[in-house]
Amino acid sequence: MNAPTVGEHLRAQGISRRDLLKFCTVAATAMALPASLAPRIAAALERAKRPSVIWLPFQECTGCTESITRAHGATIEGLIFDAISLDYQHTLQAASGTAAEHAREQAMKDNWGKYLLIVDGSVPTANAGYGTIAGVSHLEMLREAAKGAAAIVALGTCAAFGGVPMAKPDPTGALPVSAIVKDKPIINVSGCPPIPIVITGVLMQYLTFGRIPDLDALGRPQAFYGQTIHDRCYRRPFYERGEFAETFDDEGARKGYCLYKLGCKGPTTYNACATVKWNNGVGFPIEAGHGCIGCAEPRFWDKGGFYEALSTGNWGTAKTLGAAIGVGVAMGAAAALSARVRQRHMEKKA
Ligand code: SF4
Ligand code: SF4
């Protein structure tokens, strides 16, 4: 019997075409595609075969897995995530020991050259014993699984850029996936953790278009990482007017002023938090009164204090707050312009 398509699988889960269309409209907007493309995305998704996915969690905190599995309720993106054939994920699967490893080996053999490999966590390289699964080092398992993969998703900042395990003094010699695998397409989905709808959006793009999305210079999907938090932050008008909270409980903080002076890294952090938001679109950290700590960027842990203004850390080259604000405004304008150009380009392509 043929394996069910994503559409068949979703229908079996009780998802109506109307619900799927609604989700595709939201996802199209998040991917900077015209909402009018939603029916075509939905049709392509319905026809798509469920790809085999092998997910290897390495040196991580399980936050990336939590991010996707703790989506509130039975969301459509959760069901689309279900709609892939997740053949191995040792944190989630019921099987363990020899049976689990056999499942991984079998899935790789049956889908050689075609499966999608998801990796979360960085890879310890200082000593093979620092991270092992069934007696196989993380490094060896990654190399072996990467050989038969069609593409790799480096999920979370640890897999994409080394993240917290690679922070000084980096006792395990942690490396990101891209430092080890050089001959496969790699999609870096950074964030500590990444936003659930960004994870499913990337999987959906792969399912819908059958290819990896357009990436930025750091290998991240441009649709989600094409603009900074600052570009789309609702506190931006306060920034432009020079109205800043000086402490977390002053009058400025109460009035919702910009959090730049309290260490917000929004101006140099590329992620979709300000647009797609967290917790099913309820909000994002800046709405809760805390600045962005730059978790989607390389070396975010080492670049300077989370509560130090950008101009005083290693995040930018600006020497003074005034200069930093000028740089921020210029970056914002440049990013907004490039986003408009990119959107027109993507609309033409679509
Ligand atoms: S500095 Fe932070 S709080 Fe202020 S506008 Fe930019 S992203 Fe928003
Ligand atoms: S607001 Fe900044 S620190 Fe917070 S999740 Fe988004 S990118 Fe990460």
Side-chain angles (χ1 to χ4, degrees):
M1 197 184 119
N2 281 341
T5 64
V6 173
E8 287 161 351
H9 183 79
L10 291 177
R11 272 192 295 281
Q13 303 284 325
I15 297 299
S16 67
R17 184 166 161 75
R18 188 188 169 87
D19 288 337
L20 181 62
L21 268 176
K22 227 171 22 187
F23 171 71
C24 289
T25 306
V26 175
T29 310
M31 289 190 283
L33 291 171
S36 57
L37 275 186
R40 281 167 62 188
I41 295 174
L45 263 185
E46 281 190 333
R47 284 193 305 270
K49 289 279 178 202
R50 300 172 69 207
S52 168
V53 174
I54 293 173
W55 181 334
L56 301 176
F58 290 141
Q59 200 165 229
E60 41 81 32
C61 68
T62 316
C64 299
T65 306
E66 290 282 339
S67 178
I68 188 71
T69 56
R70 297 288 167 184
H72 291 243
T75 58
I76 305 269
E77 64 261 37
L79 287 168
I80 283 184
F81 187 67
D82 270 353
I84 59 174
S85 174
L86 189 55
D87 291 323
Y88 181 88
Q89 213 280 17
H90 59 233
T91 309
L92 298 177
Q93 69 199 26
S96 62
T98 312
E101 294 315 302
H102 178 70
R104 178 176 59 80
E105 283 157 13
Q106 194 61 45
M108 283 169 56
K109 200 167 134 205
D110 293 346
N111 302 285
W112 192 256
K114 289 186 289 200
Y115 57 83
L116 187 66
L117 179 63
I118 299 181
V119 176
D120 69 317
S122 62
V123 184
T125 60
N127 183 313
Y130 283 171
T132 60
I133 300 165
V136 180
S137 75
H138 290 173
L139 185 60
E140 202 184 319
M141 190 170 281
L142 172 62
R143 284 188 176 137
E144 188 198 343
K147 274 187 211 153
I152 303 174
V153 176
L155 189 62
T157 297
C158 298
F161 304 133
V164 176
M166 204 170 102
K168 290 172 193 158
D170 185 10
T172 66
L175 286 178
V177 173
S178 59
I180 295 160
V181 181
K182 301 286 184 189
D183 58 350
K184 295 285 172 178
I186 298 173
I187 311 168
N188 284 331
V189 183
S190 62
C192 190
I195 307 169
I197 196 171
V198 169
I199 303 172
T200 48
V202 169
L203 294 175
M204 199 175 86
Q205 276 186 324
Y206 187 75
L207 280 170
T208 311
F209 303 117
R211 60 175 180 80
I212 66 164
D214 292 338
L215 304 177
D216 70 5
L218 293 175
R220 300 175 294 194
Q222 284 190 354
F224 298 109
Y225 298 87
Q227 288 178 291
T228 62
I229 304 291
H230 185 69
D231 290 333
R232 303 298 295 271
C233 180
Y234 73 104
R235 296 195 190 218
R236 182 69 179 263
F238 293 109
Y239 175 93
E240 302 294 353
R241 291 199 295 269
E243 292 175 331
F244 301 101
E246 304 281 342
T247 66
F248 282 107
D249 58 357
D250 67 5
E251 190 57 21
R254 275 190 283 279
K255 286 181 173 163
Y257 284 3
C258 170
L259 302 170
Y260 182 92
K261 287 189 180 179
L262 294 174
C264 181
K265 307 298 184 290
T268 50
T269 302
Y270 289 79
N271 202 354
C273 305
T275 46
V276 304
K277 303 193 177 179
W278 285 84
N279 301 323
N280 278 352
V282 168
F284 74 114
I286 290 171
E287 279 184 278
H290 197 285
C292 167
I293 61 170
C295 77
E297 295 298 316
R299 296 271 179 200
F300 80 101
W301 203 264
D302 288 330
K303 276 182 176 168
F306 291 157
Y307 300 101
E308 282 171 15
L310 272 172
S311 53
T312 56
N314 296 321
W315 287 84
T317 53
K319 293 279 185 288
T320 65
L321 179 60
I325 291 172
V327 170
V329 171
M331 281 171 61
L337 182 65
S338 79
R340 276 201 297 277
V341 170
R342 196 172 52 253
Q343 178 144 7
R344 274 204 296 275
H345 175 68
M346 289 176 87
E347 280 173 9
K348 265 193 206 153
K349 253 175 49 184

